């Protein structure tokens, strides 16, 4: 059994550390998880007037989410919260009312920043949103990652072995979390 995980990256920056982290996590993902990064940079700004006529890009995101058994959010912290592009993606796929593509999907959050608190405040804000969206979100381990020079190898891997092991543990816990929730849905 494979569980498809939609990976949502909260930065559009070309050299984004979070995008690099998402790519490194994809390589470390344990066997039952298959990571697919979803596109959010071409979504329209959310406008409730469009609820009855959502754009192809929004429909694409919602389809990708509906085909996934879990969601991994990899996000920077902007001004002590989540970036607007991420909130825009969340809002777009949450509507029309009653047709949210997020509902019930098990989730996990992680983020890397140059600041010492490693996106902790952004992730706390994100957890608040995910609770409202009815997404069971992995509580531990919390993954507040600080970027320093040499964090990634030139090949895009995690340079430090103990950090790599910690990330692997996180992914294993997430795999159990997704499996637990997917099995619950299957046995309903
Ligand atoms: C930041 N940055 C930042 N860092 C942090 O730890 N806490 C914060 O509140 C903020 N706020 C913030 C706002 C804005 C508008 C920008 C552009 C940046 C710095 C941030 O961690 C850094 O730019 C990361 O490199 C962003 O992540 P990506 O794009 O590398 O994935």
């Amino acid at each position: 059994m494979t569980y498809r995980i939609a990976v949502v990256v909260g930065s559009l920056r070309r050299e984004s550390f979070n995008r690099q982290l998402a790519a490194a996590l994809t390589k470390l993902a344990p066997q039952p998880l298959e990571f697919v990064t979803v596109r959010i940079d071409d979504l329209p700004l959310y406008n409730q007037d469009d609820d009855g006529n959502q754009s192809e890009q929004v429909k694409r995101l919602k389809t990708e989410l509906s085909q996934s058994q879990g969601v991994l959010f990899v996000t920077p912290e902007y001004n002590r919260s989540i970036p607007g592009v991420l909130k825009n993606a969340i809002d777009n796929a949450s509507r029309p009312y009653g047709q949210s593509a997020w509902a019930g999907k098990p989730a996990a959050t992680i983020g890397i920043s140059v600041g010492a608190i490693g996106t902790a405040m952004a992730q706390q804000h994100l957890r608040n949103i995910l609770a409202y969206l009815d997404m069971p979100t992995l509580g531990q381990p919390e993954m507040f990652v600080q970027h320093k020079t040499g964090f990634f190898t030139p090949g895009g891997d995690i340079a430090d072995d103990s950090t790599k092991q910690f990330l692997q543990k996180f992914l294993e816990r997430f795999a159990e979390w997704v499996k637990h929730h997917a099995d619950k849905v299957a046995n309903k």
Side-chain angles (χ1 to χ4, degrees):
M1 176 81 193
T2 301
Y3 301 99
R4 204 182 158 94
I5 305 300
V7 180
V8 186
V9 178
S11 172
L12 306 186
R13 193 170 78 87
R14 222 171 294 117
E15 301 294 325
S16 162
F17 298 139
N18 285 278
R19 189 163 297 281
Q20 292 181 57
L21 180 61
L25 290 172
T26 300
K27 287 199 242 173
L28 293 176
Q31 198 273 323
L33 300 187
E34 183 201 347
F35 282 2
V36 180
T37 301
V38 297
R39 191 171 173 191
I40 63 167
D41 67 324
D42 62 346
L43 300 176
L45 285 179
Y46 177 73
N47 181 339
Q48 196 177 357
D49 289 339
D50 301 332
D51 273 9
N53 183 28
Q54 288 187 310
S55 69
E56 288 309 313
Q57 292 91 330
V58 173
K59 285 185 189 156
R60 179 199 65 218
L61 173 62
K62 292 184 78 173
T63 301
E64 286 171 330
L65 292 170
S66 69
Q67 291 169 346
S68 302
Q69 284 78 48
V71 183
L72 176 65
F73 292 91
V74 187
T75 187
E77 179 171 286
Y78 278 5
N79 301 314
R80 296 286 181 252
S81 187
I82 62 169
V85 287
L86 176 56
K87 185 60 163 56
N88 186 55
I90 291 173
D91 291 343
N92 266 300
S94 71
R95 292 278 155 160
Y97 181 76
Q99 292 174 42
S100 167
W102 307 106
K105 304 278 176 198
T109 71
I110 183 169
I112 181 167
S113 110
V114 293
I117 60 165
T119 75
M121 291 201 65
Q123 289 190 57
Q124 285 308 123
H125 280 195
L126 181 56
R127 284 177 182 276
N128 206 39
I129 298 165
L130 303 186
Y132 177 72
L133 292 172
D134 199 19
M135 299 180 77
T137 304
L138 186 69
Q140 294 289 343
E142 294 175 307
M143 299 302 291
F144 307 142
V145 187
Q146 185 178 17
H147 182 272
K148 294 210 170 111
T149 307
F151 184 89
F152 297 105
T153 67
D157 293 312
I158 307 295
D160 179 63
D161 272 345
S162 64
T163 305
K164 198 170 171 175
Q165 276 168 23
F166 193 47
L167 290 168
Q168 260 160 343
K169 200 155 275 167
F170 164 69
L171 292 171
E172 279 158 22
R173 283 292 306 274
F174 184 44
E176 286 166 18
W177 187 250
V178 170
K179 186 174 179 314
H180 171 77
H181 288 279
D183 291 351
K184 235 172 51 184
V185 171
N187 294 329
K188 250 189 190 165

